[in-house]
Amino acid sequence: MDIDTIGDWERTNDCGSLRRDDIGREVVLMGWVNRRRDLGKLIFVDLRDRFGLTQIVFDEEFDEVSHERAGILRNEWVIAVKGEVAPRLLGQENPEMPTGDIEVKAKELKILNETEIPPFQVDGKIDASENVRLRYRYLELRRPALFHNLFMRHRIALVIRSFLNSEGFLEVETPFLTKSTPEGARDYLVPSRINKGSFYALPQSPQLFKQLLMVAGFNRYFQIVKCFRDEDLRVDRQPEFTQVDLELSFVNEDGVMDVVEGMMVDVFSKILDHPVSRPFPRIEYEKAMDLYGSDRPDARFGMELTDVSDQLRSSTFRAFTEVIEKGGVVKAINVKKGASFSRKELDELSSMVTDSGAKGLLWAKLRPDGWQSPLAKSVAPNSRGAVEERLGAKEGDLIIFVSAMDHIANEALGLLRIEISKRLDLIKDGDYSFVWVTRFPLLDYDENEKRYAAVHHPFTAPLEEDIPLLGERPEAVRARSYDLVLNGEEIGGGSVRIHTIDLQNQIFRILGLGKEEVREKFGFFLEALRYGAPPHGGIALGFDRLVAIMVGAKSLRDVIAFPKTQRASCAVTDAPSPVDRDQLSELGLSLIYP
RNA sequence: GGGGACGUAGUUCAGUUCUGGUUAGAACGCCGGCCUGUCACGCCGGAGGUCGCGGGUUCGAGUCCCGUCGUCCCCGCCA
């Protein structure tokens, strides 16, 4: 096969731009053969680039040489075509294509490259399995769907950069080769050749560096930056991921939330033409757990959790009365029009509940003739009425009860609420609901390690009014923290930071970090706090997740050009892979496992 | 670390269990031929298989058993 050179040809247009107005022009197009339809004396080729498709006609009567050569074209070959824009024959227009009114009558054809038989059809309607598509990612990326996601990602990043710039933020790069810290996720380590036996860690976030930039007086910092966490993967978790990281000086919670809300309004209006109203609703963590059974509530549908202990206190149902006596609760959700759930479906829901530690669920279908329910006999009619009234339940609804200690009941009903919303298809596409969840607990007690751990991170400021509790009841202290939740997914989290050395030292002590360890791991940071650190706060947004929600992608992999597989490997390069002995010895390393 | 699903032609799948048995099928793609208005072109013909890999049971294994590798989903984990 002879491959032509591009020579002095220059593209005049991309494959998505020609219209009726261009008829009569001589154009040069270059791209991939998306499909060919060889009718003998007439050959049609859909030429593709990332901008679109244009139909090329090779007509023996129009140009014999190019028609002859076009006979050998195959899908995914790279070609250049010089020709004339012509109207399609009357009635032969293709309304499905933006370029469907015209075609390019080829005068000259250059074949710029041929191809192996592709492992899957780029234009295929039948989809290849994900491992094949990941291995040949560059072919998958030729497909419009995935390209669109990455194009959107680019545009979203652009809007964010421009917005933050206009708000006085400076983008500053921070080191990737940095220091391992004891708190948080497992670090990715990088051995040092010059300092054998020592390791850098890839950052889990630029947290301390951005705080140092506040000490440095940068006032407003941001960065769209890769972060690394060596934990197991999920559909919404990659080991390297991108954050929109911000930090502001001389602000409280409102200052940070204000900027983020402005940013989201700007992004959603410019990218999706979707109005988002401000301010975003705020809900305290405690309340979120109580109403939604989740710290990332999806407020796109109702079905809030309701405490009906008072209404059922007098029932003769032992599972209720015993739990209430022991200080537990009976909580319920009202599933509108849920009375049609089958026994089998209710059993499935019940088995979900046991996973969160509850004994099971109870239900009542509101029939015209009253409750159809295992509880019917144990709950007096006036109690039933009180429950219905409290839940706003009507005929045809389904009430689901869980009785347990409140955190278990909350979690169980929270999971049910989400599952039921999926089954009943309660969530409209294109619906976006932002919520701030605030005042998370500062600390929680790690039973395994027998010590307190920071819920957010150890630099989060406690709520002023709760500081006195730090000594006695650390677990009761609330943090000046806030998560941004979009459609029931956490897309960001941040806090007002501790900016005084004494408080920071006190927190480290409560976390059980020894003086020596603190000095070794965080000494540089504590030192910086001594040199006039301003009050500051910030947030980090999960950029991949944001993009995924905005483009409607099911998996983070669909918004990352070269994602990792669930085993944290790269299907294209096959990384990670063994290295030469020489490389290891240069680093002063030897392997325990071969 | 644990649980689950999947792995058969280049690709997507059927066949696989209950019930092992002659030559492992289909569609798309690929190759050859025909075709002047197609756009998932059409028609005729053809090639293409380490049934993920290794071991075992058996007269005989795509099918049963054990192990292993890979992909995906979930729990743990993810400040």
Side-chain angles (χ1 to χ4, degrees):
Chain A
M1 236 297 295
D2 288 336
I3 298 294
D4 300 317
T5 59
I6 200 165
D8 60 356
W9 283 27
E10 282 178 33
R11 264 197 294 188
T12 61
N13 292 82
D14 62 60
C15 295
S17 64
L18 293 173
R19 295 292 183 273
R20 210 166 257 289
D21 288 348
D22 298 298
I23 285 167
R25 285 181 50 202
E26 184 177 275
V27 295
V28 176
L29 300 183
M30 303 186 189
W32 287 261
V33 174
N34 192 57
R35 225 167 237 289
R36 90 201 141 91
R37 294 175 292 279
D38 187 344
L39 277 61
K41 293 200 173 66
L42 210 52
I43 299 171
F44 296 94
V45 164
D46 292 334
L47 192 63
R48 184 194 68 235
D49 61 18
R50 75 170 176 86
F51 302 96
L53 289 171
T54 299
Q55 175 165 285
I56 314 292
V57 197
F58 296 93
D59 185 339
E60 198 178 51
E61 286 175 11
F62 192 72
D63 184 83
E64 204 170 327
V65 177
S66 65
H67 173 269
E68 164 78 23
R69 192 146 165 77
I72 62 170
L73 291 178
R74 292 296 181 266
N75 289 348
E76 300 310 316
W77 284 23
V78 186
I79 63 171
V81 173
K82 189 180 284 183
E84 186 186 312
V85 182
R88 295 210 187 169
L89 297 187
L90 206 62
Q92 295 291 339
E93 301 88 351
N94 185 342
E96 305 287 310
M97 297 169 75
T99 61
D101 284 341
I102 57 95
E103 61 196 8
V104 172
K105 296 180 79 125
K107 283 182 188 152
E108 267 185 84
L109 167 67
K110 287 189 176 200
I111 296 174
L112 302 177
N113 216 339
E114 54 186 344
T115 178
E116 297 277 309
I117 296 163
F120 56 87
Q121 291 160 254
V122 172
D123 188 42
K125 298 291 181 270
I126 296 172
D127 220 355
S129 67
E130 191 158 16
N131 53 354
V132 176
R133 288 183 290 131
L134 281 173
R135 167 131 188 260
Y136 299 93
R137 189 66 166 177
Y138 41 88
L139 297 181
E140 171 78 354
L141 287 164
R142 281 184 195 165
R143 293 176 151 177
L146 198 53
F147 173 77
H148 173 258
N149 290 354
L150 285 149
F151 185 51
M152 291 285 277
R153 184 179 173 120
H154 159 77
R155 290 179 54 212
I156 294 166
L158 215 54
V159 171
I160 288 174
R161 280 209 166 84
S162 139
F163 175 84
L164 290 173
N165 174 61
S166 73
E167 293 286 318
F169 285 79
L170 239 65
E171 184 160 24
V172 181
E173 291 169 87
T174 52
F176 275 7
L177 297 176
T178 181
K179 197 174 172 70
S180 180
T181 52
E183 295 280 309
R186 196 176 292 112
D187 286 320
Y188 275 102
L189 296 176
V190 179
S192 166
R193 175 183 57 83
I194 293 171
N195 305 282
K196 291 189 178 48
S198 288
F199 294 81
Y200 304 98
L202 301 179
Q204 297 176 27
S205 90
Q207 185 60 33
L208 292 174
F209 287 108
K210 70 176 174 175
Q211 292 193 241
L212 293 181
L213 289 170
M214 295 301 102
V215 178
F218 274 49
N219 193 48
R220 290 183 162 205
Y221 141 96
F222 87 99
Q223 190 177 186
I224 297 181
V225 63
K226 276 286 182 72
C227 300
F228 307 86
R229 291 177 190 176
D230 187 4
E231 297 292 347
D232 287 350
L233 283 73
R234 289 288 186 279
V235 69
D236 61 348
R237 255 159 48 187
Q238 283 273 314
E240 51 178 313
F241 60 99
T242 304
Q243 285 190 344
V244 179
D245 191 46
L246 346 160
E247 199 75 10
L248 299 76
S249 289
F250 304 110
V251 292
N252 55 23
E253 292 85 334
D254 291 334
V256 179
M257 290 159 140
D258 198 50
V259 165
V260 173
E261 290 185 7
M263 184 168 92
M264 288 300 148
V265 167
D266 198 39
V267 168
F268 273 74
S269 101
K270 287 188 172 136
I271 302 293
L272 295 180
D273 198 21
H274 188 280
V276 175
S277 60
R278 294 179 66 181
F280 299 169
R282 297 184 191 182
I283 182 169
E284 292 194 16
Y285 168 83
E286 199 71 39
K287 185 98 185 284
M289 296 307 293
D290 194 47
L291 268 185
Y292 300 102
S294 169
D295 61 0
R296 42 187 177 94
D298 192 332
R300 285 175 296 177
F301 57 97
M303 224 192 293
E304 282 92 359
L305 281 53
T306 307
D307 190 331
V308 289
S309 307
D310 287 344
Q311 286 71 23
L312 293 169
R313 202 176 294 278
S314 62
S315 82
T316 57
F317 199 71
R318 299 261 310 266
F320 286 173
T321 51
E322 278 178 12
V323 165
I324 293 172
E325 269 167 37
K326 285 184 193 151
V329 293
V330 181
K331 293 191 83 166
I333 51 178
N334 176 26
V335 183
K336 284 279 163 207
K337 304 201 168 70
S340 54
F341 271 69
S342 69
R343 186 58 193 258
K344 180 166 170 263
E345 285 173 298
L346 289 167
D347 285 347
E348 284 166 10
L349 293 175
S350 187
S351 70
M352 280 184 60
V353 164
T354 52
D355 292 342
S356 36
K359 292 229 166 61
L361 60 77
L362 286 149
W363 49 269
K365 293 178 180 178
L366 272 57
R367 299 288 193 201
D369 52 347
W371 280 24
Q372 180 194 341
S373 167
L375 294 165
K377 283 183 184 143
S378 324
V379 180
N382 64 329
S383 295
R384 288 185 222 161
V387 167
E388 286 172 28
E389 193 185 328
R390 183 147 166 76
L391 287 162
K394 300 271 178 316
E395 192 181 308
D397 292 352
L398 167 73
I399 301 173
I400 293 180
F401 303 89
V402 172
S403 66
M405 298 311 284
D406 61 350
H407 66 279
I408 291 175
N410 285 341
E411 188 188 320
L413 284 167
L415 291 173
L416 284 179
R417 193 178 161 268
I418 299 298
E419 175 63 23
I420 290 168
S421 78
K422 286 178 188 157
R423 292 189 182 207
L424 294 179
D425 207 15
L426 297 180
I427 296 164
K428 283 178 301 210
D429 257 7
D431 209 1
Y432 298 100
S433 149
F434 286 97
V435 183
W436 288 109
V437 180
T438 65
R439 298 186 171 181
F440 279 72
L442 185 71
L443 304 160
D444 64 10
Y445 192 72
D446 186 328
E447 289 292 345
N448 294 329
E449 301 198 20
K450 302 288 178 211
R451 66 176 189 94
Y452 286 98
V455 168
H456 185 49
H457 57 51
F459 317 105
T460 300
L463 208 60
E464 200 96 0
E465 64 200 82
D466 289 355
I467 289 182
L469 297 172
L470 273 173
E472 296 295 305
R473 293 171 53 213
E475 69 283 351
V477 175
R478 289 166 294 171
R480 298 182 68 180
S481 63
Y482 33 82
D483 274 8
L484 181 61
V485 174
L486 170 55
N487 293 355
E489 283 191 60
E490 181 199 329
I491 60 163
S495 61
V496 171
R497 324 296 185 191
I498 297 166
H499 72 285
T500 58
I501 181 93
D502 290 344
L503 186 55
Q504 187 64 71
N505 272 324
Q506 190 183 357
I507 297 294
F508 282 143
R509 269 201 306 279
I510 294 170
L511 291 173
L513 297 175
K515 267 207 166 106
E516 192 47 36
E517 191 179 6
V518 168
R519 201 183 56 77
E520 206 260 312
K521 303 288 187 187
F522 298 114
F524 69 99
F525 179 68
L526 291 175
E527 191 169 51
L529 289 184
R530 294 176 196 277
Y531 289 98
H536 61 285
I539 193 167
L541 302 172
F543 184 63
D544 312 272
R545 286 186 186 177
L546 176 66
V547 175
I549 293 172
M550 291 184 73
V551 303
K554 284 192 185 68
S555 165
L556 244 43
R557 290 187 294 275
D558 295 337
V559 296
I560 295 172
F562 301 102
K564 296 285 187 285
T565 71
Q566 191 159 40
R567 292 283 311 267
S569 67
C570 171
V572 178
T573 63
D574 209 26
S577 46
V579 295
D580 292 342
R581 278 191 116 66
D582 292 352
Q583 270 181 294
L584 285 177
S585 68
E586 201 168 35
L587 293 165
L589 299 178
S590 71
L591 296 178
I592 300 174
Y593 306 104

